[in-house]
Amino acid sequence: MFRTYSLPLQRFATSLAGSAALAEELVQDVFVALWTKREALALHSTLQAYLYAATRNRALSLAAHQKVRDDWAADEARRLAETERDAVQQPSESFEVEEFTRVVRRTVEALPSRRRAIYEMSRDRHMSYAEIAAALDISTKTIEAQMTHALRAIREALVTAGWAVG
């Protein structure tokens, strides 16, 4: 099955993803998922149609995820530039940003180790909840719950420090 479909699927995925290396990875992911779900999988069409649809869906999902990351990176760069500009123009605001950051950092360091690791993977490494769940071999719901607790702790620490948090 792999020998029959992998090259045509890679060509198809390359047309969607724009990169042969990425296409190869996408196709491998499709076959791994197929193997993993082989016992529970109920095909409603031909195997070929399933493989092409799965490859297309993975490529589209990857493209959407990359767009979110790119948008976030652009927003973060804009915010950083504004913060740097404002720090030069208004030293008192620079002090406030430093104090805010200090409170957040102190709170994150005080989180339980697993919660802190999840928070840092999300915020520092910019990993999605699904990526974190896969890396730690736990459910996405657990990641969501841990992030909720972490963000609540940060919010409470900021309010205690006198910051108005919405």
Side-chain angles (χ1 to χ4, degrees):
M1 181 177 20
F2 181 80
R3 287 187 201 121
T4 302
Y5 292 110
S6 65
L7 288 177
L9 286 172
Q10 286 179 25
R11 284 192 292 273
F12 175 65
T14 301
S15 71
L16 297 171
S19 162
L22 186 56
E24 183 178 354
E25 191 173 325
L26 284 170
V27 171
Q28 288 175 0
D29 287 347
V30 167
F31 278 105
V32 168
L34 178 66
W35 179 255
T36 304
K37 299 175 186 176
R38 70 188 178 279
E39 293 176 1
L41 190 63
L43 294 178
H44 301 288
S45 62
T46 66
L47 175 63
Q48 181 179 9
Y50 172 83
L51 290 171
Y52 275 90
T55 301
R56 183 194 70 235
N57 291 341
R58 285 209 186 249
L60 293 175
S61 177
L62 179 69
H65 181 72
Q66 189 59 45
K67 182 180 179 342
V68 168
R69 282 182 171 220
D70 291 347
D71 290 349
W72 183 89
D75 287 346
E76 195 63 23
R78 182 185 46 75
R79 276 189 229 115
L80 180 61
E82 289 173 0
T83 300
E84 288 174 355
R85 184 191 69 231
D86 291 346
V88 170
Q89 293 173 352
Q90 300 171 352
S92 66
E93 286 185 22
S94 174
F95 174 76
E96 290 176 4
V97 169
E98 289 175 14
E99 181 59 28
F100 183 91
T101 304
R102 201 173 2 260
V103 171
V104 171
R105 191 176 311 120
R106 202 172 326 129
T107 306
V108 169
E109 290 171 359
L111 292 173
S113 61
R114 187 172 193 127
R115 188 172 298 159
R116 182 177 61 246
I118 291 169
Y119 176 85
E120 289 171 347
M121 291 171 92
S122 173
R123 295 303 195 255
D124 297 342
R125 296 185 204 159
H126 314 294
M127 294 173 69
S128 70
Y129 288 4
E131 291 170 331
I132 298 168
L136 298 177
D137 196 29
I138 56 180
S139 75
T140 304
K141 288 292 186 188
T142 301
I143 301 300
E144 291 172 6
Q146 290 296 317
M147 283 298 294
T148 298
H149 291 300
L151 294 172
R152 183 177 302 134
I154 292 168
R155 195 174 309 114
E156 289 171 359
L158 288 169
V159 168
T160 300
W163 291 90
V165 180

